[in-house]
Amino acid sequence: MSAKRLRLAQLTVGILTIGLAACGGEQVVQGDCQDMFGTDVCTWGTMAGDRVVEFGATVPLASLENAPTGGEFVFPPPFAAVVALPDEVASAIGFDHLAVNWEHMGHPPALFLTPHFDFHFYTIDAEQRQAIDCANLSKPARIPARYTLPDLDIPGIGELVGLCVPTMGMHALPAHELEETDPFGASMVVGYYQENLIFLEPMIAQAKLLEAQSFTMEVPAAPSVGPGVQWPTHFEAVYDAESRAYRFVFSGLAGE
């Protein structure tokens, strides 16, 4: 681990351990760290014995500020960082890694046509994710209430059944968002492939993240969660002004 990466990992743990002494028996476990636009994004989990209390990632504001502008539209969008979650977290709750995309031009539907980040937390491993080619167009029988898996025609690309993107999967969106046109701030996306749930994704506009303010997002109840997966019920993006970094925190795990 590089000196810079070690410093950020130590900072991540330092932030997370504030107040944990009052929550006897809990400890922070560190995952991987990967460079994203000049600074490291790191994953972590908070454990109480063998139980995961919460998990997430630390995202420095500098990574969000330094995201490049301009350039051609690329499909599928490249990954800006792929970061493994701690082994203890993956084995306990089934979430394997974080894969981040920087969408500098945005993408359809209309409200997402603004620069934003996709923070995919996957329940499959990176090799399985990379193999997604969208050849399988079957959709799951059940998705979260008030969500939809739309088929959209993207200019220059063609129809995306279930908004399936190679190396990502299908994207279920809150149904009301398809009717909105104003630039969005944040949306919680639920992902599928081969009828299976495979990711949970806070999709967040760069402009909202650069406000450097904490916020919460609703996590929908997900039917037909796969074996070994504990689905969270809460998400909070906690901004720490001293470290100039966000903590993306999933908590309220099913099975607690």
Side-chain angles (χ1 to χ4, degrees):
M1 183 180 291
S2 69
K4 181 179 73 172
R5 186 161 297 174
L6 178 60
R7 287 195 298 273
L8 184 56
Q10 291 170 336
L11 174 62
T12 299
V13 173
I15 294 171
L16 291 169
T17 51
I18 294 173
L20 284 182
C23 305
E26 294 184 2
Q27 63 174 340
V28 175
V29 291
Q30 183 66 36
D32 197 7
C33 292
Q34 294 293 328
D35 178 83
M36 187 171 84
F37 307 133
T39 52
D40 280 356
V41 172
C42 296
T43 60
W44 50 266
T46 302
M47 309 283 295
D50 294 332
R51 179 173 61 89
V52 178
V53 177
E54 58 186 21
F55 71 97
T58 301
V59 182
L61 190 65
S63 289
L64 310 171
E65 294 171 330
N66 295 340
T69 59
E72 297 295 323
F73 176 75
V74 177
F75 183 85
F79 289 97
V82 176
V83 195
L85 286 161
D87 290 340
E88 300 92 328
V89 170
S91 61
I93 65 170
F95 280 87
D96 182 83
H97 67 281
L98 164 64
V100 186
N101 300 92
W102 163 234
E103 307 269 11
H104 74 282
M105 298 177 68
H107 57 71
L111 79 162
F112 301 130
L113 289 172
T114 190
H116 66 267
F117 291 87
D118 303 332
F119 297 96
H120 301 85
F121 287 82
Y122 278 93
T123 62
I124 58 176
D125 64 36
E127 184 176 355
Q128 292 172 303
R129 173 189 50 74
Q130 194 64 31
I132 294 173
D133 59 7
C134 294
N136 187 321
L137 301 181
S138 56
K139 297 181 181 181
R142 301 171 62 205
I143 63 174
R146 299 181 296 279
Y147 270 62
T148 184
L149 265 174
D151 303 336
L152 288 186
D153 189 56
I154 308 298
I157 296 173
E159 185 180 50
L160 302 185
V161 175
L163 276 177
C164 191
V165 178
T167 72
M168 290 187 193
M170 291 184 173
H171 294 68
L173 307 171
H176 70 88
E177 293 183 347
L178 294 183
E179 307 303 322
E180 298 179 6
T181 57
D182 291 336
F184 84 119
S187 179
M188 190 66 74
V189 182
V190 180
Y192 296 87
Y193 195 59
Q194 295 179 332
E195 303 183 41
N196 297 316
L197 185 153
I198 61 168
F199 69 76
L200 182 58
E201 177 201 345
M203 180 168 55
I204 310 173
Q206 184 189 40
K208 183 173 183 67
L209 290 166
L210 295 186
E211 292 173 358
Q213 298 290 326
S214 299
F215 60 93
T216 62
M217 296 172 65
E218 182 179 354
V219 178
S224 304
V225 174
V229 175
Q230 292 186 22
W231 193 252
T233 58
H234 304 291
F235 173 83
E236 185 173 11
V238 182
Y239 184 72
D240 182 81
E242 183 176 354
S243 61
R244 296 189 78 244
Y246 280 97
R247 286 187 296 118
F248 290 169
V249 184
F250 287 104
S251 60
L253 296 161
E256 280 196 337

